[in-house]
Amino acid sequence: MKTRPDWLKFRTRSGPWDVLEAMRPAFGTVGDLLTMGDQGKGKEGWTWRRTVYLAGDIAIAAIDYGGQHMREWVRVDISGSGCSWVQDWQRMAALPSVLKEAQVTRLDIALTTYHGEVTHEMVLEAHARRAFCSGGRDPEHQQVTGSDPRAGRTVYVGKREAPKFCRCYEKGFELLKEVPASVRSGVYAIEMDGVGMVDPAKVYRVEVEFKRKEGREIPWDAVAAPDGYFAGAYPFCAELLPGVQGVKVQTMPTAAPRRALAASLDNCRRSYGGILRAALLAYGGDVDRVMAMVTSDQPSDALVAAGVLTVDHVGAREGV
């Protein structure tokens, strides 16, 4: 695996303590050191928030829960620094098997190079030759620079609120921001975990941020095997991982399936609504009993073909 998840946000209808226990195996040898902080005030419409700590003082995740319009969802937000402590991403990707309705809502996949394999100029050149175009219009890009050449440069590709967004930046210089400016110019080597001493000017990172939107699900497989999804994000990303088969996060058109289901339900109401109402009255309002008597063992072939079962009809408008 050449890339790694650098931010993971997901939601579930399991409780906060169930989430904590379910995540422990993914953190391997440090899993037993995970603890839950005190209950605090939530943000963005959530009633409560708890911070997950490693060894008592290293914040690695936030768990938000409660709220009038949250429909019993619990939101888990694992930061980039938190992701760096994960030892087994296969275990993390297996969370849907132990948590209720676990859905990825944001996933950042990062590729970091350490010896000049990727440069800022390469990114700008790639955008100029349309290597960030995945079909349709080229995504816009924004470049952020400063007067200090060792402060680091950044290129943003696309819109931050879009389902897919890319950040490319001089990671080595970003790490130097913690060094006093008076001595920063004299630092020519930094130590990177698993790599050793490297020239900060040659450390570069490309990050692709995927967000769950209506009709666009992020598969948990992307958490376990991020290389393919990184390569499938943009042609430029595929160039950075030669030999890796790109996988695209598919966008499912949602308007047509919703219209198909709505039309079928309306037709059912017009044709059989009176019969169903009479049955409900006759059986004392026992909906389960009436539904068991009138529903088929298999869903409609026509509605399945229309994609009705691939669309989130219940929570599509929830911004969780």
Side-chain angles (χ1 to χ4, degrees), residues 107-137:
L107 175 64
D108 293 11
I109 301 176
L111 173 69
T112 305
T113 58
Y114 302 95
H115 306 291
E117 298 93 334
V118 181
T119 67
H120 193 72
E121 288 70 27
M122 285 175 58
V123 173
L124 295 176
E125 184 271 337
H127 188 274
R129 60 180 171 83
R130 304 192 66 199
F132 284 96
C133 181
S134 301
R137 298 174 57 184

PDB file of all heavy atoms in Angstrom, residues 107-137:
ATOM      1  N   LEU A 107     -13.445  10.602   3.449  1.00  0.00           N
ATOM      2  CA  LEU A 107     -12.208   9.834   3.453  1.00  0.00           C
ATOM      3  C   LEU A 107     -11.156  10.605   2.673  1.00  0.00           C
ATOM      4  O   LEU A 107     -11.347  10.922   1.501  1.00  0.00           O
ATOM      5  CB  LEU A 107     -12.416   8.453   2.822  1.00  0.00           C
ATOM      6  CG  LEU A 107     -11.151   7.598   2.659  1.00  0.00           C
ATOM      7  CD1 LEU A 107     -10.557   7.248   4.030  1.00  0.00           C
ATOM      8  CD2 LEU A 107     -11.445   6.334   1.860  1.00  0.00           C
ATOM      9  N   ASP A 108     -10.045  10.927   3.337  1.00  0.00           N
ATOM     10  CA  ASP A 108      -8.896  11.540   2.679  1.00  0.00           C
ATOM     11  C   ASP A 108      -7.851  10.455   2.458  1.00  0.00           C
ATOM     12  O   ASP A 108      -7.498   9.721   3.389  1.00  0.00           O
ATOM     13  CB  ASP A 108      -8.282  12.646   3.529  1.00  0.00           C
ATOM     14  CG  ASP A 108      -9.197  13.852   3.699  1.00  0.00           C
ATOM     15  OD1 ASP A 108     -10.380  13.751   3.326  1.00  0.00           O
ATOM     16  OD2 ASP A 108      -8.735  14.877   4.222  1.00  0.00           O
ATOM     17  N   ILE A 109      -7.357  10.359   1.227  1.00  0.00           N
ATOM     18  CA  ILE A 109      -6.307   9.399   0.900  1.00  0.00           C
ATOM     19  C   ILE A 109      -5.070  10.191   0.485  1.00  0.00           C
ATOM     20  O   ILE A 109      -5.143  11.055  -0.404  1.00  0.00           O
ATOM     21  CB  ILE A 109      -6.741   8.447  -0.228  1.00  0.00           C
ATOM     22  CG1 ILE A 109      -7.996   7.684   0.182  1.00  0.00           C
ATOM     23  CG2 ILE A 109      -5.621   7.479  -0.575  1.00  0.00           C
ATOM     24  CD1 ILE A 109      -8.558   6.792  -0.913  1.00  0.00           C
ATOM     25  N   ALA A 110      -3.940   9.908   1.130  1.00  0.00           N
ATOM     26  CA  ALA A 110      -2.729  10.701   0.917  1.00  0.00           C
ATOM     27  C   ALA A 110      -1.601   9.851   0.352  1.00  0.00           C
ATOM     28  O   ALA A 110      -1.397   8.698   0.759  1.00  0.00           O
ATOM     29  CB  ALA A 110      -2.286  11.344   2.232  1.00  0.00           C
ATOM     30  N   LEU A 111      -0.868  10.444  -0.574  1.00  0.00           N
ATOM     31  CA  LEU A 111       0.384   9.873  -1.076  1.00  0.00           C
ATOM     32  C   LEU A 111       1.494  10.851  -0.727  1.00  0.00           C
ATOM     33  O   LEU A 111       1.451  12.021  -1.134  1.00  0.00           O
ATOM     34  CB  LEU A 111       0.326   9.667  -2.593  1.00  0.00           C
ATOM     35  CG  LEU A 111       1.646   9.238  -3.248  1.00  0.00           C
ATOM     36  CD1 LEU A 111       2.003   7.809  -2.831  1.00  0.00           C
ATOM     37  CD2 LEU A 111       1.573   9.338  -4.773  1.00  0.00           C
ATOM     38  N   THR A 112       2.478  10.401   0.026  1.00  0.00           N
ATOM     39  CA  THR A 112       3.606  11.243   0.404  1.00  0.00           C
ATOM     40  C   THR A 112       4.865  10.698  -0.257  1.00  0.00           C
ATOM     41  O   THR A 112       5.153   9.497  -0.167  1.00  0.00           O
ATOM     42  CB  THR A 112       3.795  11.264   1.933  1.00  0.00           C
ATOM     43  OG1 THR A 112       2.577  11.669   2.557  1.00  0.00           O
ATOM     44  CG2 THR A 112       4.901  12.242   2.329  1.00  0.00           C
ATOM     45  N   THR A 113       5.599  11.567  -0.929  1.00  0.00           N
ATOM     46  CA  THR A 113       6.877  11.185  -1.525  1.00  0.00           C
ATOM     47  C   THR A 113       7.990  11.937  -0.805  1.00  0.00           C
ATOM     48  O   THR A 113       7.800  13.063  -0.346  1.00  0.00           O
ATOM     49  CB  THR A 113       6.906  11.505  -3.024  1.00  0.00           C
ATOM     50  OG1 THR A 113       6.676  12.907  -3.231  1.00  0.00           O
ATOM     51  CG2 THR A 113       5.823  10.731  -3.763  1.00  0.00           C
ATOM     52  N   TYR A 114       9.167  11.318  -0.731  1.00  0.00           N
ATOM     53  CA  TYR A 114      10.215  11.830   0.145  1.00  0.00           C
ATOM     54  C   TYR A 114      11.501  12.239  -0.565  1.00  0.00           C
ATOM     55  O   TYR A 114      12.373  12.854   0.045  1.00  0.00           O
ATOM     56  CB  TYR A 114      10.556  10.760   1.190  1.00  0.00           C
ATOM     57  CG  TYR A 114       9.370  10.350   2.019  1.00  0.00           C
ATOM     58  CD1 TYR A 114       8.604   9.236   1.666  1.00  0.00           C
ATOM     59  CD2 TYR A 114       8.999  11.066   3.143  1.00  0.00           C
ATOM     60  CE1 TYR A 114       7.508   8.851   2.427  1.00  0.00           C
ATOM     61  CE2 TYR A 114       7.905  10.698   3.906  1.00  0.00           C
ATOM     62  CZ  TYR A 114       7.163   9.586   3.544  1.00  0.00           C
ATOM     63  OH  TYR A 114       6.076   9.225   4.290  1.00  0.00           O
ATOM     64  N   HIS A 115      11.635  11.907  -1.830  1.00  0.00           N
ATOM     65  CA  HIS A 115      12.910  12.135  -2.507  1.00  0.00           C
ATOM     66  C   HIS A 115      12.748  12.902  -3.815  1.00  0.00           C
ATOM     67  O   HIS A 115      13.510  12.698  -4.758  1.00  0.00           O
ATOM     68  CB  HIS A 115      13.608  10.795  -2.752  1.00  0.00           C
ATOM     69  CG  HIS A 115      13.774   9.970  -1.503  1.00  0.00           C
ATOM     70  ND1 HIS A 115      14.628  10.320  -0.485  1.00  0.00           N
ATOM     71  CD2 HIS A 115      13.146   8.828  -1.108  1.00  0.00           C
ATOM     72  CE1 HIS A 115      14.550   9.426   0.491  1.00  0.00           C
ATOM     73  NE2 HIS A 115      13.655   8.511   0.140  1.00  0.00           N
ATOM     74  N   GLY A 116      11.736  13.769  -3.874  1.00  0.00           N
ATOM     75  CA  GLY A 116      11.554  14.602  -5.053  1.00  0.00           C
ATOM     76  C   GLY A 116      10.810  13.942  -6.187  1.00  0.00           C
ATOM     77  O   GLY A 116      10.794  14.474  -7.309  1.00  0.00           O
ATOM     78  N   GLU A 117      10.155  12.792  -5.915  1.00  0.00           N
ATOM     79  CA  GLU A 117       9.410  12.121  -6.985  1.00  0.00           C
ATOM     80  C   GLU A 117       8.261  12.982  -7.491  1.00  0.00           C
ATOM     81  O   GLU A 117       7.884  12.910  -8.663  1.00  0.00           O
ATOM     82  CB  GLU A 117       8.852  10.783  -6.486  1.00  0.00           C
ATOM     83  CG  GLU A 117       9.903   9.780  -6.053  1.00  0.00           C
ATOM     84  CD  GLU A 117      10.202   9.853  -4.567  1.00  0.00           C
ATOM     85  OE1 GLU A 117      10.012  10.936  -3.967  1.00  0.00           O
ATOM     86  OE2 GLU A 117      10.613   8.834  -4.003  1.00  0.00           O
ATOM     87  N   VAL A 118       7.664  13.788  -6.608  1.00  0.00           N
ATOM     88  CA  VAL A 118       6.604  14.721  -6.988  1.00  0.00           C
ATOM     89  C   VAL A 118       7.029  16.117  -6.538  1.00  0.00           C
ATOM     90  O   VAL A 118       7.539  16.288  -5.427  1.00  0.00           O
ATOM     91  CB  VAL A 118       5.257  14.354  -6.331  1.00  0.00           C
ATOM     92  CG1 VAL A 118       4.151  15.330  -6.774  1.00  0.00           C
ATOM     93  CG2 VAL A 118       4.863  12.920  -6.665  1.00  0.00           C
ATOM     94  N   THR A 119       6.802  17.094  -7.394  1.00  0.00           N
ATOM     95  CA  THR A 119       7.146  18.472  -7.063  1.00  0.00           C
ATOM     96  C   THR A 119       5.955  19.388  -7.323  1.00  0.00           C
ATOM     97  O   THR A 119       5.002  19.011  -8.013  1.00  0.00           O
ATOM     98  CB  THR A 119       8.343  18.967  -7.897  1.00  0.00           C
ATOM     99  OG1 THR A 119       7.947  19.050  -9.279  1.00  0.00           O
ATOM    100  CG2 THR A 119       9.539  18.036  -7.759  1.00  0.00           C
ATOM    101  N   HIS A 120       6.046  20.589  -6.770  1.00  0.00           N
ATOM    102  CA  HIS A 120       4.993  21.584  -6.972  1.00  0.00           C
ATOM    103  C   HIS A 120       4.844  21.921  -8.455  1.00  0.00           C
ATOM    104  O   HIS A 120       3.723  22.067  -8.961  1.00  0.00           O
ATOM    105  CB  HIS A 120       5.353  22.837  -6.172  1.00  0.00           C
ATOM    106  CG  HIS A 120       4.233  23.821  -6.038  1.00  0.00           C
ATOM    107  ND1 HIS A 120       3.139  23.598  -5.228  1.00  0.00           N
ATOM    108  CD2 HIS A 120       4.027  25.034  -6.616  1.00  0.00           C
ATOM    109  CE1 HIS A 120       2.314  24.626  -5.308  1.00  0.00           C
ATOM    110  NE2 HIS A 120       2.828  25.501  -6.143  1.00  0.00           N
ATOM    111  N   GLU A 121       5.957  22.026  -9.138  1.00  0.00           N
ATOM    112  CA  GLU A 121       5.922  22.347 -10.572  1.00  0.00           C
ATOM    113  C   GLU A 121       5.245  21.239 -11.372  1.00  0.00           C
ATOM    114  O   GLU A 121       4.538  21.504 -12.357  1.00  0.00           O
ATOM    115  CB  GLU A 121       7.349  22.583 -11.076  1.00  0.00           C
ATOM    116  CG  GLU A 121       7.989  23.876 -10.600  1.00  0.00           C
ATOM    117  CD  GLU A 121       8.327  23.872  -9.111  1.00  0.00           C
ATOM    118  OE1 GLU A 121       8.554  22.754  -8.564  1.00  0.00           O
ATOM    119  OE2 GLU A 121       8.343  24.958  -8.496  1.00  0.00           O
ATOM    120  N   MET A 122       5.444  19.990 -10.970  1.00  0.00           N
ATOM    121  CA  MET A 122       4.791  18.881 -11.657  1.00  0.00           C
ATOM    122  C   MET A 122       3.275  18.981 -11.541  1.00  0.00           C
ATOM    123  O   MET A 122       2.543  18.701 -12.502  1.00  0.00           O
ATOM    124  CB  MET A 122       5.258  17.548 -11.069  1.00  0.00           C
ATOM    125  CG  MET A 122       6.646  17.120 -11.466  1.00  0.00           C
ATOM    126  SD  MET A 122       7.147  15.593 -10.604  1.00  0.00           S
ATOM    127  CE  MET A 122       5.845  14.461 -11.099  1.00  0.00           C
ATOM    128  N   VAL A 123       2.789  19.385 -10.374  1.00  0.00           N
ATOM    129  CA  VAL A 123       1.348  19.514 -10.165  1.00  0.00           C
ATOM    130  C   VAL A 123       0.772  20.599 -11.064  1.00  0.00           C
ATOM    131  O   VAL A 123      -0.265  20.407 -11.718  1.00  0.00           O
ATOM    132  CB  VAL A 123       1.040  19.810  -8.685  1.00  0.00           C
ATOM    133  CG1 VAL A 123      -0.445  20.110  -8.500  1.00  0.00           C
ATOM    134  CG2 VAL A 123       1.467  18.646  -7.810  1.00  0.00           C
ATOM    135  N   LEU A 124       1.439  21.753 -11.120  1.00  0.00           N
ATOM    136  CA  LEU A 124       0.960  22.855 -11.966  1.00  0.00           C
ATOM    137  C   LEU A 124       0.972  22.449 -13.435  1.00  0.00           C
ATOM    138  O   LEU A 124       0.043  22.767 -14.191  1.00  0.00           O
ATOM    139  CB  LEU A 124       1.821  24.090 -11.740  1.00  0.00           C
ATOM    140  CG  LEU A 124       1.750  24.714 -10.342  1.00  0.00           C
ATOM    141  CD1 LEU A 124       2.750  25.876 -10.237  1.00  0.00           C
ATOM    142  CD2 LEU A 124       0.345  25.198 -10.022  1.00  0.00           C
ATOM    143  N   GLU A 125       2.015  21.747 -13.838  1.00  0.00           N
ATOM    144  CA  GLU A 125       2.107  21.300 -15.234  1.00  0.00           C
ATOM    145  C   GLU A 125       1.020  20.287 -15.550  1.00  0.00           C
ATOM    146  O   GLU A 125       0.427  20.293 -16.634  1.00  0.00           O
ATOM    147  CB  GLU A 125       3.494  20.698 -15.467  1.00  0.00           C
ATOM    148  CG  GLU A 125       3.768  20.269 -16.914  1.00  0.00           C
ATOM    149  CD  GLU A 125       3.340  18.831 -17.184  1.00  0.00           C
ATOM    150  OE1 GLU A 125       3.254  18.036 -16.215  1.00  0.00           O
ATOM    151  OE2 GLU A 125       3.071  18.505 -18.364  1.00  0.00           O
ATOM    152  N   ALA A 126       0.728  19.415 -14.573  1.00  0.00           N
ATOM    153  CA  ALA A 126      -0.314  18.409 -14.769  1.00  0.00           C
ATOM    154  C   ALA A 126      -1.677  19.064 -14.953  1.00  0.00           C
ATOM    155  O   ALA A 126      -2.478  18.644 -15.796  1.00  0.00           O
ATOM    156  CB  ALA A 126      -0.341  17.443 -13.585  1.00  0.00           C
ATOM    157  N   HIS A 127      -1.947  20.097 -14.174  1.00  0.00           N
ATOM    158  CA  HIS A 127      -3.225  20.794 -14.331  1.00  0.00           C
ATOM    159  C   HIS A 127      -3.303  21.478 -15.690  1.00  0.00           C
ATOM    160  O   HIS A 127      -4.358  21.478 -16.336  1.00  0.00           O
ATOM    161  CB  HIS A 127      -3.420  21.817 -13.216  1.00  0.00           C
ATOM    162  CG  HIS A 127      -4.789  22.421 -13.198  1.00  0.00           C
ATOM    163  ND1 HIS A 127      -5.120  23.526 -13.974  1.00  0.00           N
ATOM    164  CD2 HIS A 127      -5.937  22.057 -12.542  1.00  0.00           C
ATOM    165  CE1 HIS A 127      -6.396  23.820 -13.775  1.00  0.00           C
ATOM    166  NE2 HIS A 127      -6.914  22.961 -12.920  1.00  0.00           N
ATOM    167  N   ALA A 128      -2.195  22.036 -16.136  1.00  0.00           N
ATOM    168  CA  ALA A 128      -2.174  22.733 -17.430  1.00  0.00           C
ATOM    169  C   ALA A 128      -2.453  21.776 -18.588  1.00  0.00           C
ATOM    170  O   ALA A 128      -3.069  22.172 -19.588  1.00  0.00           O
ATOM    171  CB  ALA A 128      -0.825  23.427 -17.619  1.00  0.00           C
ATOM    172  N   ARG A 129      -2.041  20.531 -18.452  1.00  0.00           N
ATOM    173  CA  ARG A 129      -2.291  19.560 -19.537  1.00  0.00           C
ATOM    174  C   ARG A 129      -3.535  18.696 -19.275  1.00  0.00           C
ATOM    175  O   ARG A 129      -3.689  17.635 -19.845  1.00  0.00           O
ATOM    176  CB  ARG A 129      -1.061  18.684 -19.754  1.00  0.00           C
ATOM    177  CG  ARG A 129      -0.622  17.856 -18.564  1.00  0.00           C
ATOM    178  CD  ARG A 129       0.613  17.039 -18.926  1.00  0.00           C
ATOM    179  NE  ARG A 129       1.197  16.393 -17.766  1.00  0.00           N
ATOM    180  CZ  ARG A 129       0.792  15.232 -17.249  1.00  0.00           C
ATOM    181  NH1 ARG A 129      -0.212  14.570 -17.827  1.00  0.00           N
ATOM    182  NH2 ARG A 129       1.385  14.715 -16.196  1.00  0.00           N
ATOM    183  N   ARG A 130      -4.387  19.156 -18.384  1.00  0.00           N
ATOM    184  CA  ARG A 130      -5.692  18.567 -18.114  1.00  0.00           C
ATOM    185  C   ARG A 130      -5.611  17.192 -17.449  1.00  0.00           C
ATOM    186  O   ARG A 130      -6.497  16.361 -17.612  1.00  0.00           O
ATOM    187  CB  ARG A 130      -6.515  18.455 -19.396  1.00  0.00           C
ATOM    188  CG  ARG A 130      -6.701  19.767 -20.152  1.00  0.00           C
ATOM    189  CD  ARG A 130      -7.737  19.613 -21.221  1.00  0.00           C
ATOM    190  NE  ARG A 130      -9.064  19.376 -20.650  1.00  0.00           N
ATOM    191  CZ  ARG A 130     -10.089  18.843 -21.326  1.00  0.00           C
ATOM    192  NH1 ARG A 130      -9.928  18.475 -22.597  1.00  0.00           N
ATOM    193  NH2 ARG A 130     -11.259  18.675 -20.745  1.00  0.00           N
ATOM    194  N   ALA A 131      -4.559  16.947 -16.682  1.00  0.00           N
ATOM    195  CA  ALA A 131      -4.402  15.659 -16.020  1.00  0.00           C
ATOM    196  C   ALA A 131      -5.228  15.556 -14.738  1.00  0.00           C
ATOM    197  O   ALA A 131      -5.172  14.533 -14.056  1.00  0.00           O
ATOM    198  CB  ALA A 131      -2.927  15.395 -15.710  1.00  0.00           C
ATOM    199  N   PHE A 132      -5.979  16.606 -14.415  1.00  0.00           N
ATOM    200  CA  PHE A 132      -6.934  16.538 -13.309  1.00  0.00           C
ATOM    201  C   PHE A 132      -8.372  16.498 -13.822  1.00  0.00           C
ATOM    202  O   PHE A 132      -9.311  16.600 -13.030  1.00  0.00           O
ATOM    203  CB  PHE A 132      -6.765  17.733 -12.362  1.00  0.00           C
ATOM    204  CG  PHE A 132      -5.569  17.633 -11.461  1.00  0.00           C
ATOM    205  CD1 PHE A 132      -4.375  18.243 -11.797  1.00  0.00           C
ATOM    206  CD2 PHE A 132      -5.632  16.919 -10.278  1.00  0.00           C
ATOM    207  CE1 PHE A 132      -3.271  18.144 -10.971  1.00  0.00           C
ATOM    208  CE2 PHE A 132      -4.537  16.817  -9.433  1.00  0.00           C
ATOM    209  CZ  PHE A 132      -3.340  17.434  -9.783  1.00  0.00           C
ATOM    210  N   CYS A 133      -8.532  16.354 -15.116  1.00  0.00           N
ATOM    211  CA  CYS A 133      -9.865  16.301 -15.712  1.00  0.00           C
ATOM    212  C   CYS A 133     -10.347  14.856 -15.752  1.00  0.00           C
ATOM    213  O   CYS A 133      -9.677  13.990 -16.329  1.00  0.00           O
ATOM    214  CB  CYS A 133      -9.841  16.885 -17.127  1.00  0.00           C
ATOM    215  SG  CYS A 133     -11.453  16.896 -17.930  1.00  0.00           S
ATOM    216  N   SER A 134     -11.474  14.601 -15.129  1.00  0.00           N
ATOM    217  CA  SER A 134     -12.035  13.251 -15.110  1.00  0.00           C
ATOM    218  C   SER A 134     -13.235  13.131 -16.028  1.00  0.00           C
ATOM    219  O   SER A 134     -14.067  12.243 -15.878  1.00  0.00           O
ATOM    220  CB  SER A 134     -12.429  12.873 -13.674  1.00  0.00           C
ATOM    221  OG  SER A 134     -11.321  12.928 -12.816  1.00  0.00           O
ATOM    222  N   GLY A 135     -13.337  14.044 -16.968  1.00  0.00           N
ATOM    223  CA  GLY A 135     -14.490  14.103 -17.854  1.00  0.00           C
ATOM    224  C   GLY A 135     -15.242  15.391 -17.630  1.00  0.00           C
ATOM    225  O   GLY A 135     -15.399  15.821 -16.485  1.00  0.00           O
ATOM    226  N   GLY A 136     -15.681  16.028 -18.707  1.00  0.00           N
ATOM    227  CA  GLY A 136     -16.384  17.301 -18.551  1.00  0.00           C
ATOM    228  C   GLY A 136     -15.406  18.451 -18.420  1.00  0.00           C
ATOM    229  O   GLY A 136     -14.300  18.439 -18.970  1.00  0.00           O
ATOM    230  N   ARG A 137     -15.767  19.448 -17.640  1.00  0.00           N
ATOM    231  CA  ARG A 137     -14.950  20.640 -17.487  1.00  0.00           C
ATOM    232  C   ARG A 137     -13.757  20.380 -16.576  1.00  0.00           C
ATOM    233  O   ARG A 137     -13.827  19.590 -15.636  1.00  0.00           O
ATOM    234  CB  ARG A 137     -15.793  21.784 -16.912  1.00  0.00           C
ATOM    235  CG  ARG A 137     -16.947  22.204 -17.796  1.00  0.00           C
ATOM    236  CD  ARG A 137     -17.812  23.226 -17.097  1.00  0.00           C
ATOM    237  NE  ARG A 137     -17.049  24.404 -16.694  1.00  0.00           N
ATOM    238  CZ  ARG A 137     -17.553  25.422 -16.001  1.00  0.00           C
ATOM    239  NH1 ARG A 137     -18.822  25.378 -15.611  1.00  0.00           N
ATOM    240  NH2 ARG A 137     -16.803  26.455 -15.695  1.00  0.00           N
TER     241      ARG A 137
END
